[in-house]
Amino acid sequence: MQTNSKIETDVFYDIGYGLYIATCYDGKKHNGFILNTVCQVTSNPELFAVTVNKQNYSFEIIKQTGIMNINCLDIKTPFSVFKKFGFESGRDTDKFADYEHFYSQNGLIYTKKYTNSFLSLKSERYIDFDTHGMFICSVTEAKKLANNENVTYAYYQKNIKPKSTLKSGGYVCKICGYVYKGNSLPEDFICPICKHGANDFEKIE
Ligand code: FE
């Protein structure tokens, strides 16, 4: 947490974010990854903004194919699902090899387990940022699958992410819960699980 600043970044967690498995297809393999940056921007026409980190293997796929599915997860989703789709790269693994899946009209995968609904999106406009790309998308299909409570990022932080058992002398990753043991965290440290940097770690007091 930044303490010597007017910007307390913990405040960002008070903005409501859902958590989703986004899926796409590179022509050979289906991939899925965890997203929390989906937001409806207009209702007529129905447009959604989806922002994707360029480090993400799926970024280039979505940029090229222009389509993706957004699977809306519920609060029963276990950490193992976030680990599989959030912290592992689809570059070298087939994440859906052992994960139940179905296909929507656009040919992409959607999930049913822990999933309340899915949206099929088509990119209409692209906005470039240094680290991320934003896709402004129309909706080609939207289906309700279950009526459970949707998981939010705040809920994940509080209830799903593993709790650190270390009492002191370490740093915990605010994103995935990984614990770095040691009294000082190197500035260029990268979380081995979720790949976030030292800025996303906080000292265990
Ligand atoms: Fe992490």
Side-chain angles (χ1 to χ4, degrees), residues 68-86:
M68 73 186 103
N69 281 352
I70 300 295
N71 300 273
C72 307
L73 296 173
D74 69 36
I75 57 170
K76 297 259 171 63
T77 311
F79 182 68
S80 61
V81 172
F82 291 101
K83 194 162 177 276
K84 181 189 197 58
F85 290 103

Side-chain angles (χ1 to χ4, degrees), residues 163-173 177-186 189-193 201-205:
K163 301 254 185 310
S164 161
T165 51
L166 200 66
K167 293 283 181 277
S168 65
Y171 291 79
V172 62
C173 174
Y178 172 82
V179 171
Y180 174 88
K181 288 176 192 159
N183 288 321
S184 70
L185 183 73
F189 189 75
I190 303 285
C191 177
I193 298 188
F201 277 76
E202 66 185 353
K203 200 167 188 357
I204 301 166
E205 302 290 0

Side-chain angles (χ1 to χ4, degrees), residues 10-70:
D10 279 9
V11 170
F12 301 168
Y13 289 120
D14 290 337
I15 301 289
Y17 305 92
L19 282 174
Y20 315 93
I21 296 176
T23 56
C24 58
Y25 180 60
D26 68 4
K28 289 194 187 100
K29 193 170 69 182
H30 289 270
N31 193 39
F33 62 107
I34 298 289
L35 257 188
N36 70 340
T37 46
V38 180
C39 179
Q40 184 172 1
V41 285
T42 60
S43 52
N44 186 20
E46 290 143 337
L47 291 176
F48 284 76
V50 180
T51 312
V52 183
N53 191 322
K54 289 182 184 174
Q55 302 269 318
N56 206 308
Y57 171 63
S58 293
F59 170 77
E60 277 305 323
I61 302 173
I62 295 169
K63 187 118 194 310
Q64 279 168 25
T65 61
I67 57 171
M68 73 186 103
N69 281 352
I70 300 295

Side-chain angles (χ1 to χ4, degrees), residues 31-194:
N31 193 39
F33 62 107
I34 298 289
L35 257 188
N36 70 340
T37 46
V38 180
C39 179
Q40 184 172 1
V41 285
T42 60
S43 52
N44 186 20
E46 290 143 337
L47 291 176
F48 284 76
V50 180
T51 312
V52 183
N53 191 322
K54 289 182 184 174
Q55 302 269 318
N56 206 308
Y57 171 63
S58 293
F59 170 77
E60 277 305 323
I61 302 173
I62 295 169
K63 187 118 194 310
Q64 279 168 25
T65 61
I67 57 171
M68 73 186 103
N69 281 352
I70 300 295
N71 300 273
C72 307
L73 296 173
D74 69 36
I75 57 170
K76 297 259 171 63
T77 311
F79 182 68
S80 61
V81 172
F82 291 101
K83 194 162 177 276
K84 181 189 197 58
F85 290 103
F87 310 141
E88 289 169 17
S89 176
R91 269 189 191 92
D92 23 59
T93 51
D94 180 357
K95 298 184 190 177
F96 284 107
D98 57 354
Y99 197 88
E100 190 190 26
H101 56 274
F102 304 85
Y103 295 92
S104 54
Q105 285 169 12
N106 62 2
L108 298 185
I109 278 179
Y110 71 92
T111 57
K112 275 189 191 167
K113 207 171 184 188
Y114 314 119
T115 305
N116 276 330
S117 52
F118 75 85
L119 292 120
S120 295
L121 301 181
K122 180 173 170 282
S123 177
E124 303 288 351
R125 216 188 291 175
Y126 174 74
I127 301 166
D128 196 76
F129 298 98
D130 285 348
T131 54
H132 291 67
M134 178 186 272
F135 301 92
I136 305 293
C137 304
S138 58
V139 183
T140 60
E141 190 180 357
K143 209 174 173 68
K144 189 85 187 149
L145 305 167
N147 246 326
N148 300 310
E149 200 173 326
N150 291 306
V151 67
T152 63
Y153 193 47
Y155 184 92
Y156 165 84
Q157 288 285 340
K158 221 172 169 179
N159 302 295
I160 298 174
K161 188 176 80 174
K163 301 254 185 310
S164 161
T165 51
L166 200 66
K167 293 283 181 277
S168 65
Y171 291 79
V172 62
C173 174
K174 290 194 276 183
I175 309 299
C176 74
Y178 172 82
V179 171
Y180 174 88
K181 288 176 192 159
N183 288 321
S184 70
L185 183 73
E187 263 175 44
D188 59 352
F189 189 75
I190 303 285
C191 177
I193 298 188
C194 73

